Amino acid sequence: MAFQGKKLMDDPDDAVTDFIEGLVETYPALHYLDGFPQIKVVLCSDISTDKVAVISGGGSGHEPAHAGFVGEGMLSAAICGDVFTSPPVDSILAGIRAVTGPKGCLLIVKNYTGDRLNFGLAAEQAKSEGYKVEIVIVGDDCALPPPRGIAGRRGLAGTILVHKVAGAAAEAGLPLADVAAEAKYASEMVGTMGVALSVCTLPGQLTSDRLGPGKMELGLGIHGEPGAAVVDLLPVDPVVSHVLQQILSKDTQYVPITRGSRVVVMINGLGATPIMELMIASGKTVPKLQVEHGLAVDRVYTGSFMTSLDMAGFSISIMKADEVILRRLDAPTKAPYWPVSVEGDRPPTKLPVPIPTSCSRKNDEGSNRPQELSVQGRILEAAIEAAANAIINIKDCLNEWDGKVGDGDCGSTLFRGAAAIVEDMRNYYPLNDAAETINEIGSSVERVMGGTSGIIYSIFCKAAYAKLKENNLPFVESRQWADALEASITAISFRLVDLIYIPDQRLAAGDEPTTAFFLSSEAALSGAESTKNMQAQAGRSSYISPEILASVPDPGAMAVATWYRAAALAVKDKYQT
């Protein structure tokens, strides 16, 4: 069902004008041309007409393209149309006049009908006024099979690489014919394909419902136009494999890249894709190019370069590289959105930097797990396994609760700790030594969990270990377990009274230890459920309204109660059998 899109703007009709005003306020070297806002041209403040000018542009909505790539060593000017609308001839002609000197100018145009017509007509008019003008059309789309007929292939994010090559060539002082030749060559060396999880929403318009839940689109354009196929949502690894196969297909031969070629890669966000997901895509792309396709990856650029408003997704561009192209890409530029920190050669492989060996475990290479478990060892193993599996089983429930009162990852964080405990226990926990086993649990948690929960549980285990080591007895009695539990809770400054003192009270009253343990677990569960009526004093939940907090119990408290009760039941069952 379509609904009104949410945008942080005033009048949707003024979106491009307001964007340009913010851009030039942010970057002092950028200015807009007189005649603004009717004429939307962004150019360098220190215009130099003693070199070839490089001009590009098109419809807005692809930011930072094109205005974000204006600067010495890249574009001389960017002509901005309305959202997804080619700029008018008058604006393009004004930009040509403003930055073009005796050496002429190169227009780099993405292959869309409106752009070709408007930039083409402006070029002809400029020529009639005596300007030297050349045009290079970029059509790097590899999603759709040939032949493409009159329309040809769409211009996508690979255009940014062409901008950089042309801008560096112009900055090096080359004549117009050579700058145009290098740009044209670069445009023929690059191929791009995009994938999206959502369709973009134009300012003031309804959000499209073309892509339903659980669907993604392959090979769509940068204006939200339908792609080659709509498929079920896939993990990033097979998506990257499909995109690379399309770009490097021997059947289409869109790019002259073969095994052994040197390439540069651009992973481009489409507007609403977190940098984490873009880096994940990069991490999948580079090894596949090297291992599966036999290519030497010389440069990798990851970020948002040519977006599609708020579209979620990414595109991959691959350009065949040689020494000239690499020199142009590495040349300095003052364009604010070119990733200047990526210059230089890449090593063929990247090996992890070794970390110092931990001395916390007595025998990292062997196993500390006893060949035969004592009675206490078997009981401890059952309790640990039951507690860990209980947390594993309620992962989604904890995440759901935490999504309402926190950041939604409580279950996932505790799941990592519980899974590590189960795995590590099988390999090296010294289960016949209760104190050392608790210490190892703390090490497992500390290694994988992180966050507030990780450090709390680590402190919890270290305090219990210290208390148990005070006695240094081969068999830990129920009284000593209760003391260790109390020491742990005190160490992390929690006041879970039911959890601490019920075991003490029941033991003091003469209850059998497993009964005391079980009754305290029931009290712990009741206490955790009562957190619905409490106002958080610290952590993310302290910022949540009492009405929302009252709808769910505290996830961390429920997790404690869950593993504690599971351990109690396991101990009770073990003693009974």
Side-chain angles (χ1 to χ4, degrees):
M1 180 177 179
F3 57 89
Q4 187 68 40
K6 298 178 182 179
K7 299 289 183 182
L8 288 172
M9 57 183 61
D10 295 327
D11 187 342
D13 293 335
D14 295 334
V16 178
T17 300
D18 292 344
F19 155 71
I20 293 174
E21 289 177 339
L23 183 74
V24 299
E25 291 291 351
T26 303
Y27 298 103
L30 301 183
H31 284 250
Y32 50 72
L33 194 60
D34 193 16
F36 181 81
Q38 285 71 35
I39 294 176
K40 301 179 181 66
V41 176
V42 176
L43 67 167
C44 297
S45 57
D46 52 344
I47 301 171
S48 173
T49 57
D50 60 354
K51 61 184 178 184
V52 172
V54 180
I55 301 172
S56 190
S60 296
H62 307 301
E63 291 71 31
H66 301 82
F69 298 108
V70 172
E72 182 181 303
M74 209 160 174
L75 297 181
S76 308
I79 321 298
C80 305
D82 291 328
V83 174
F84 294 171
T85 303
S86 178
V89 172
D90 287 350
S91 293
I92 301 169
L93 192 56
I96 294 172
R97 292 168 178 156
V99 298
T100 304
K103 291 195 172 183
C105 74
L106 172 66
L107 304 181
I108 299 177
V109 182
K110 299 188 304 300
N111 187 32
Y112 293 98
T113 302
D115 288 347
R116 293 189 65 161
L117 290 175
N118 283 283
F119 276 87
L121 181 54
E124 293 306 315
Q125 292 192 22
K127 289 177 183 177
S128 70
E129 296 177 13
Y131 291 98
K132 299 177 184 176
V133 182
E134 294 286 347
I135 297 180
V136 169
I137 307 295
V138 181
D140 55 320
D141 183 17
C142 295
L144 303 174
R148 300 305 327 142
I150 297 175
R153 297 158 60 196
R154 297 173 293 194
L156 302 177
T159 309
I160 304 301
L161 297 172
V162 180
H163 289 165
K164 184 62 177 67
V165 170
E171 195 66 36
L174 271 62
L176 177 58
D178 291 349
V179 173
E182 287 201 20
K184 186 175 188 302
Y185 175 77
S187 72
E188 294 168 348
M189 296 297 109
V190 64
T192 301
M193 180 176 170
V195 299
L197 308 183
S198 68
V199 181
C200 57
T201 302
L202 274 67
Q205 296 191 19
L206 297 178
T207 295
S208 171
D209 58 354
R210 189 175 83 224
L211 281 182
K215 297 293 183 180
M216 65 187 304
E217 197 157 22
L218 305 177
L220 73 174
I222 54 173
H223 307 102
E225 62 267 36
V230 174
V231 300
D232 291 335
L233 185 62
L234 297 169
V236 69
D237 192 86
V239 171
V240 168
S241 292
H242 175 76
V243 171
L244 298 184
Q245 290 288 353
Q246 287 291 111
I247 296 174
L248 301 172
S249 170
K250 294 180 180 179
D251 296 330
T252 60
Q253 294 185 331
Y254 276 149
V255 287
I257 298 174
T258 57
R259 186 169 290 272
S261 295
R262 301 172 66 183
V263 298
V264 299
V265 181
M266 174 178 281
I267 310 295
N268 170 62
L270 297 180
T273 310
I275 192 68
M276 174 186 285
E277 295 178 27
L278 294 179
M279 288 300 175
I280 290 171
S282 289
K284 303 294 184 181
T285 299
V286 175
K288 289 180 184 295
L289 289 174
Q290 292 171 326
V291 177
E292 297 177 16
H293 297 276
L295 304 177
V297 179
D298 283 319
R299 304 287 185 274
V300 179
Y301 308 99
T302 301
S304 293
F305 303 96
M306 182 175 286
T307 65
S308 185
L309 291 171
D310 57 351
M311 184 182 290
F314 67 92
S315 66
I316 299 177
S317 299
I318 306 173
M319 174 182 276
K320 187 175 182 179
D322 55 29
E323 290 303 325
V324 174
I325 283 180
L326 292 177
R327 188 162 64 249
R328 300 303 185 213
L329 293 176
D330 290 345
T333 177
K334 294 182 179 179
Y337 282 92
W338 179 257
V340 294
S341 63
V342 295
E343 60 182 313
D345 295 336
R346 286 173 50 85
T349 58
K350 290 196 174 185
L351 300 176
V353 177
I355 60 174
T357 303
S358 171
C359 58
S360 63
R361 296 199 172 102
K362 297 181 179 64
N363 184 6
D364 284 335
E365 295 181 1
S367 172
N368 291 331
R369 182 184 174 93
Q371 291 185 350
E372 184 175 343
L373 295 181
S374 65
V375 172
Q376 178 176 259
R378 290 196 296 271
I379 294 171
L380 188 56
E381 179 183 45
I384 294 171
E385 188 169 22
N389 285 330
I391 290 299
I392 290 171
N393 292 336
I394 64 165
K395 168 190 168 185
D396 292 338
C397 192
L398 291 174
N399 280 341
E400 181 181 352
W401 286 333
D402 196 36
K404 295 179 180 179
V405 298
D407 54 2
D409 69 343
C410 178
S412 298
T413 300
L414 293 174
F415 173 88
R416 288 196 296 272
I421 288 169
V422 172
E423 179 66 23
D424 292 350
M425 182 173 66
R426 292 169 183 161
N427 294 325
Y428 55 77
Y429 282 6
L431 292 163
N432 290 342
D433 187 330
E436 291 296 340
T437 297
I438 298 302
N439 190 42
E440 290 295 349
I441 291 174
S443 297
S444 298
V445 165
E446 187 177 319
R447 189 181 77 251
V448 301
M449 275 181 61
T452 304
S453 296
I455 190 62
I456 286 174
Y457 275 99
S458 179
I459 294 171
F460 183 96
C461 292
K462 300 305 180 186
Y465 166 73
K467 192 67 177 178
L468 291 172
K469 288 295 284 186
E470 286 180 4
N471 300 298
N472 201 26
L473 297 173
F475 186 85
V476 180
E477 297 182 350
S478 56
R479 176 74 262 173
Q480 292 151 356
W481 279 116
D483 290 345
L485 179 60
E486 184 175 351
S488 295
I489 300 298
T490 302
I492 57 178
S493 301
F494 278 1
R495 295 296 180 261
L496 300 180
V497 177
D498 290 336
L499 188 63
I500 304 170
Y501 295 108
I502 288 294
D504 282 356
Q505 293 167 2
R506 304 310 306 182
L507 288 171
D511 281 353
E512 189 268 330
T514 57
T515 301
F517 193 5
F518 176 73
L519 291 175
S520 70
S521 74
E522 288 192 325
L525 185 59
S526 176
E529 290 172 344
S530 73
T531 57
K532 287 183 179 181
N533 304 316
M534 298 180 185
Q535 177 64 42
Q537 300 300 311
R540 291 183 176 90
S541 294
S542 62
Y543 307 109
I544 307 298
S545 70
E547 292 77 14
I548 296 177
L549 290 176
S551 66
V552 295
D554 179 80
M558 288 300 295
V560 172
T562 297
W563 66 253
Y564 188 72
R565 182 172 176 79
L569 290 171
V571 170
K572 184 178 181 181
D573 180 68
K574 204 71 176 173
Y575 268 105
Q576 287 177 344
T577 56

PDB file of all heavy atoms in Angstrom, residues 104-125:
ATOM      1  N   GLY A 104      38.823  25.162 -24.393  1.00  0.00           N
ATOM      2  CA  GLY A 104      37.573  24.460 -24.627  1.00  0.00           C
ATOM      3  C   GLY A 104      37.067  23.705 -23.406  1.00  0.00           C
ATOM      4  O   GLY A 104      37.629  23.786 -22.317  1.00  0.00           O
ATOM      5  N   CYS A 105      35.984  22.939 -23.608  1.00  0.00           N
ATOM      6  CA  CYS A 105      35.390  22.190 -22.503  1.00  0.00           C
ATOM      7  C   CYS A 105      34.914  20.823 -22.985  1.00  0.00           C
ATOM      8  O   CYS A 105      34.583  20.617 -24.156  1.00  0.00           O
ATOM      9  CB  CYS A 105      34.227  22.954 -21.876  1.00  0.00           C
ATOM     10  SG  CYS A 105      32.726  22.990 -22.858  1.00  0.00           S
ATOM     11  N   LEU A 106      34.883  19.903 -22.035  1.00  0.00           N
ATOM     12  CA  LEU A 106      34.365  18.559 -22.274  1.00  0.00           C
ATOM     13  C   LEU A 106      33.089  18.387 -21.465  1.00  0.00           C
ATOM     14  O   LEU A 106      33.076  18.622 -20.254  1.00  0.00           O
ATOM     15  CB  LEU A 106      35.390  17.506 -21.849  1.00  0.00           C
ATOM     16  CG  LEU A 106      34.900  16.055 -21.865  1.00  0.00           C
ATOM     17  CD1 LEU A 106      34.596  15.602 -23.287  1.00  0.00           C
ATOM     18  CD2 LEU A 106      35.918  15.135 -21.208  1.00  0.00           C
ATOM     19  N   LEU A 107      32.010  17.968 -22.120  1.00  0.00           N
ATOM     20  CA  LEU A 107      30.761  17.650 -21.441  1.00  0.00           C
ATOM     21  C   LEU A 107      30.682  16.134 -21.258  1.00  0.00           C
ATOM     22  O   LEU A 107      30.749  15.383 -22.232  1.00  0.00           O
ATOM     23  CB  LEU A 107      29.559  18.140 -22.254  1.00  0.00           C
ATOM     24  CG  LEU A 107      29.510  19.630 -22.615  1.00  0.00           C
ATOM     25  CD1 LEU A 107      28.229  19.923 -23.405  1.00  0.00           C
ATOM     26  CD2 LEU A 107      29.581  20.495 -21.371  1.00  0.00           C
ATOM     27  N   ILE A 108      30.558  15.687 -20.012  1.00  0.00           N
ATOM     28  CA  ILE A 108      30.388  14.264 -19.720  1.00  0.00           C
ATOM     29  C   ILE A 108      28.927  14.045 -19.372  1.00  0.00           C
ATOM     30  O   ILE A 108      28.410  14.594 -18.387  1.00  0.00           O
ATOM     31  CB  ILE A 108      31.304  13.813 -18.567  1.00  0.00           C
ATOM     32  CG1 ILE A 108      32.771  14.042 -18.961  1.00  0.00           C
ATOM     33  CG2 ILE A 108      31.055  12.347 -18.220  1.00  0.00           C
ATOM     34  CD1 ILE A 108      33.752  13.700 -17.865  1.00  0.00           C
ATOM     35  N   VAL A 109      28.244  13.245 -20.170  1.00  0.00           N
ATOM     36  CA  VAL A 109      26.789  13.125 -20.098  1.00  0.00           C
ATOM     37  C   VAL A 109      26.404  11.668 -19.898  1.00  0.00           C
ATOM     38  O   VAL A 109      26.869  10.782 -20.630  1.00  0.00           O
ATOM     39  CB  VAL A 109      26.144  13.665 -21.394  1.00  0.00           C
ATOM     40  CG1 VAL A 109      24.628  13.591 -21.309  1.00  0.00           C
ATOM     41  CG2 VAL A 109      26.605  15.104 -21.662  1.00  0.00           C
ATOM     42  N   LYS A 110      25.550  11.421 -18.927  1.00  0.00           N
ATOM     43  CA  LYS A 110      25.011  10.066 -18.746  1.00  0.00           C
ATOM     44  C   LYS A 110      23.997   9.780 -19.854  1.00  0.00           C
ATOM     45  O   LYS A 110      23.268  10.669 -20.296  1.00  0.00           O
ATOM     46  CB  LYS A 110      24.332   9.939 -17.371  1.00  0.00           C
ATOM     47  CG  LYS A 110      25.283  10.166 -16.197  1.00  0.00           C
ATOM     48  CD  LYS A 110      24.628   9.832 -14.873  1.00  0.00           C
ATOM     49  CE  LYS A 110      23.341  10.581 -14.618  1.00  0.00           C
ATOM     50  NZ  LYS A 110      23.542  12.056 -14.613  1.00  0.00           N
ATOM     51  N   ASN A 111      23.946   8.536 -20.243  1.00  0.00           N
ATOM     52  CA  ASN A 111      23.136   8.175 -21.398  1.00  0.00           C
ATOM     53  C   ASN A 111      21.643   8.054 -21.056  1.00  0.00           C
ATOM     54  O   ASN A 111      21.122   6.967 -20.836  1.00  0.00           O
ATOM     55  CB  ASN A 111      23.630   6.856 -22.015  1.00  0.00           C
ATOM     56  CG  ASN A 111      22.919   6.545 -23.315  1.00  0.00           C
ATOM     57  OD1 ASN A 111      22.553   7.461 -24.052  1.00  0.00           O
ATOM     58  ND2 ASN A 111      22.709   5.272 -23.601  1.00  0.00           N
ATOM     59  N   TYR A 112      21.007   9.221 -20.999  1.00  0.00           N
ATOM     60  CA  TYR A 112      19.552   9.313 -20.889  1.00  0.00           C
ATOM     61  C   TYR A 112      19.089  10.301 -21.951  1.00  0.00           C
ATOM     62  O   TYR A 112      19.777  11.290 -22.245  1.00  0.00           O
ATOM     63  CB  TYR A 112      19.128   9.761 -19.495  1.00  0.00           C
ATOM     64  CG  TYR A 112      19.440   8.734 -18.430  1.00  0.00           C
ATOM     65  CD1 TYR A 112      20.586   8.846 -17.656  1.00  0.00           C
ATOM     66  CD2 TYR A 112      18.609   7.633 -18.233  1.00  0.00           C
ATOM     67  CE1 TYR A 112      20.888   7.882 -16.703  1.00  0.00           C
ATOM     68  CE2 TYR A 112      18.906   6.667 -17.285  1.00  0.00           C
ATOM     69  CZ  TYR A 112      20.046   6.798 -16.526  1.00  0.00           C
ATOM     70  OH  TYR A 112      20.345   5.850 -15.583  1.00  0.00           O
ATOM     71  N   THR A 113      17.941  10.050 -22.511  1.00  0.00           N
ATOM     72  CA  THR A 113      17.477  10.834 -23.661  1.00  0.00           C
ATOM     73  C   THR A 113      17.454  12.326 -23.356  1.00  0.00           C
ATOM     74  O   THR A 113      17.953  13.147 -24.138  1.00  0.00           O
ATOM     75  CB  THR A 113      16.085  10.360 -24.097  1.00  0.00           C
ATOM     76  OG1 THR A 113      16.141   8.966 -24.416  1.00  0.00           O
ATOM     77  CG2 THR A 113      15.615  11.148 -25.312  1.00  0.00           C
ATOM     78  N   GLY A 114      16.877  12.710 -22.200  1.00  0.00           N
ATOM     79  CA  GLY A 114      16.786  14.130 -21.861  1.00  0.00           C
ATOM     80  C   GLY A 114      18.149  14.777 -21.732  1.00  0.00           C
ATOM     81  O   GLY A 114      18.370  15.898 -22.225  1.00  0.00           O
ATOM     82  N   ASP A 115      19.075  14.087 -21.076  1.00  0.00           N
ATOM     83  CA  ASP A 115      20.418  14.641 -20.908  1.00  0.00           C
ATOM     84  C   ASP A 115      21.115  14.795 -22.250  1.00  0.00           C
ATOM     85  O   ASP A 115      21.759  15.812 -22.526  1.00  0.00           O
ATOM     86  CB  ASP A 115      21.242  13.734 -19.992  1.00  0.00           C
ATOM     87  CG  ASP A 115      20.811  13.817 -18.534  1.00  0.00           C
ATOM     88  OD1 ASP A 115      20.051  14.735 -18.199  1.00  0.00           O
ATOM     89  OD2 ASP A 115      21.223  12.953 -17.739  1.00  0.00           O
ATOM     90  N   ARG A 116      21.002  13.777 -23.101  1.00  0.00           N
ATOM     91  CA  ARG A 116      21.678  13.843 -24.392  1.00  0.00           C
ATOM     92  C   ARG A 116      21.137  14.986 -25.239  1.00  0.00           C
ATOM     93  O   ARG A 116      21.898  15.725 -25.882  1.00  0.00           O
ATOM     94  CB  ARG A 116      21.527  12.522 -25.140  1.00  0.00           C
ATOM     95  CG  ARG A 116      22.251  11.357 -24.472  1.00  0.00           C
ATOM     96  CD  ARG A 116      22.273  10.124 -25.332  1.00  0.00           C
ATOM     97  NE  ARG A 116      23.062  10.324 -26.558  1.00  0.00           N
ATOM     98  CZ  ARG A 116      23.542   9.352 -27.303  1.00  0.00           C
ATOM     99  NH1 ARG A 116      23.311   8.080 -26.962  1.00  0.00           N
ATOM    100  NH2 ARG A 116      24.237   9.599 -28.395  1.00  0.00           N
ATOM    101  N   LEU A 117      19.815  15.153 -25.226  1.00  0.00           N
ATOM    102  CA  LEU A 117      19.217  16.207 -26.047  1.00  0.00           C
ATOM    103  C   LEU A 117      19.595  17.587 -25.538  1.00  0.00           C
ATOM    104  O   LEU A 117      20.006  18.469 -26.308  1.00  0.00           O
ATOM    105  CB  LEU A 117      17.699  16.047 -26.069  1.00  0.00           C
ATOM    106  CG  LEU A 117      17.159  14.836 -26.847  1.00  0.00           C
ATOM    107  CD1 LEU A 117      15.655  14.723 -26.683  1.00  0.00           C
ATOM    108  CD2 LEU A 117      17.527  14.951 -28.331  1.00  0.00           C
ATOM    109  N   ASN A 118      19.457  17.810 -24.216  1.00  0.00           N
ATOM    110  CA  ASN A 118      19.708  19.141 -23.670  1.00  0.00           C
ATOM    111  C   ASN A 118      21.184  19.504 -23.706  1.00  0.00           C
ATOM    112  O   ASN A 118      21.546  20.621 -24.100  1.00  0.00           O
ATOM    113  CB  ASN A 118      19.172  19.228 -22.242  1.00  0.00           C
ATOM    114  CG  ASN A 118      17.665  19.376 -22.204  1.00  0.00           C
ATOM    115  OD1 ASN A 118      17.122  20.453 -22.443  1.00  0.00           O
ATOM    116  ND2 ASN A 118      16.979  18.289 -21.906  1.00  0.00           N
ATOM    117  N   PHE A 119      22.060  18.579 -23.303  1.00  0.00           N
ATOM    118  CA  PHE A 119      23.492  18.874 -23.362  1.00  0.00           C
ATOM    119  C   PHE A 119      23.960  18.983 -24.812  1.00  0.00           C
ATOM    120  O   PHE A 119      24.829  19.807 -25.139  1.00  0.00           O
ATOM    121  CB  PHE A 119      24.278  17.787 -22.628  1.00  0.00           C
ATOM    122  CG  PHE A 119      24.382  17.998 -21.145  1.00  0.00           C
ATOM    123  CD1 PHE A 119      23.393  17.527 -20.302  1.00  0.00           C
ATOM    124  CD2 PHE A 119      25.452  18.682 -20.601  1.00  0.00           C
ATOM    125  CE1 PHE A 119      23.477  17.711 -18.929  1.00  0.00           C
ATOM    126  CE2 PHE A 119      25.550  18.879 -19.225  1.00  0.00           C
ATOM    127  CZ  PHE A 119      24.552  18.393 -18.373  1.00  0.00           C
ATOM    128  N   GLY A 120      23.377  18.169 -25.699  1.00  0.00           N
ATOM    129  CA  GLY A 120      23.762  18.230 -27.109  1.00  0.00           C
ATOM    130  C   GLY A 120      23.403  19.557 -27.747  1.00  0.00           C
ATOM    131  O   GLY A 120      24.221  20.157 -28.471  1.00  0.00           O
ATOM    132  N   LEU A 121      22.196  20.042 -27.471  1.00  0.00           N
ATOM    133  CA  LEU A 121      21.784  21.322 -28.044  1.00  0.00           C
ATOM    134  C   LEU A 121      22.611  22.464 -27.461  1.00  0.00           C
ATOM    135  O   LEU A 121      23.019  23.395 -28.183  1.00  0.00           O
ATOM    136  CB  LEU A 121      20.295  21.556 -27.787  1.00  0.00           C
ATOM    137  CG  LEU A 121      19.700  22.847 -28.360  1.00  0.00           C
ATOM    138  CD1 LEU A 121      19.986  22.970 -29.855  1.00  0.00           C
ATOM    139  CD2 LEU A 121      18.201  22.910 -28.085  1.00  0.00           C
ATOM    140  N   ALA A 122      22.887  22.400 -26.134  1.00  0.00           N
ATOM    141  CA  ALA A 122      23.701  23.449 -25.521  1.00  0.00           C
ATOM    142  C   ALA A 122      25.103  23.465 -26.134  1.00  0.00           C
ATOM    143  O   ALA A 122      25.684  24.532 -26.354  1.00  0.00           O
ATOM    144  CB  ALA A 122      23.790  23.215 -24.014  1.00  0.00           C
ATOM    145  N   ALA A 123      25.649  22.264 -26.408  1.00  0.00           N
ATOM    146  CA  ALA A 123      26.975  22.189 -27.026  1.00  0.00           C
ATOM    147  C   ALA A 123      26.980  22.844 -28.396  1.00  0.00           C
ATOM    148  O   ALA A 123      27.919  23.579 -28.750  1.00  0.00           O
ATOM    149  CB  ALA A 123      27.415  20.735 -27.128  1.00  0.00           C
ATOM    150  N   GLU A 124      25.934  22.592 -29.192  1.00  0.00           N
ATOM    151  CA  GLU A 124      25.870  23.182 -30.529  1.00  0.00           C
ATOM    152  C   GLU A 124      25.780  24.699 -30.461  1.00  0.00           C
ATOM    153  O   GLU A 124      26.413  25.415 -31.252  1.00  0.00           O
ATOM    154  CB  GLU A 124      24.681  22.604 -31.298  1.00  0.00           C
ATOM    155  CG  GLU A 124      24.822  21.123 -31.641  1.00  0.00           C
ATOM    156  CD  GLU A 124      26.107  20.827 -32.391  1.00  0.00           C
ATOM    157  OE1 GLU A 124      26.443  21.588 -33.335  1.00  0.00           O
ATOM    158  OE2 GLU A 124      26.797  19.847 -32.035  1.00  0.00           O
ATOM    159  N   GLN A 125      24.990  25.195 -29.507  1.00  0.00           N
ATOM    160  CA  GLN A 125      24.885  26.646 -29.371  1.00  0.00           C
ATOM    161  C   GLN A 125      26.209  27.255 -28.916  1.00  0.00           C
ATOM    162  O   GLN A 125      26.609  28.332 -29.388  1.00  0.00           O
ATOM    163  CB  GLN A 125      23.768  27.001 -28.391  1.00  0.00           C
ATOM    164  CG  GLN A 125      22.376  26.662 -28.910  1.00  0.00           C
ATOM    165  CD  GLN A 125      21.273  27.270 -28.058  1.00  0.00           C
ATOM    166  OE1 GLN A 125      21.482  28.238 -27.354  1.00  0.00           O
ATOM    167  NE2 GLN A 125      20.084  26.700 -28.140  1.00  0.00           N
TER     168      GLN A 125
END
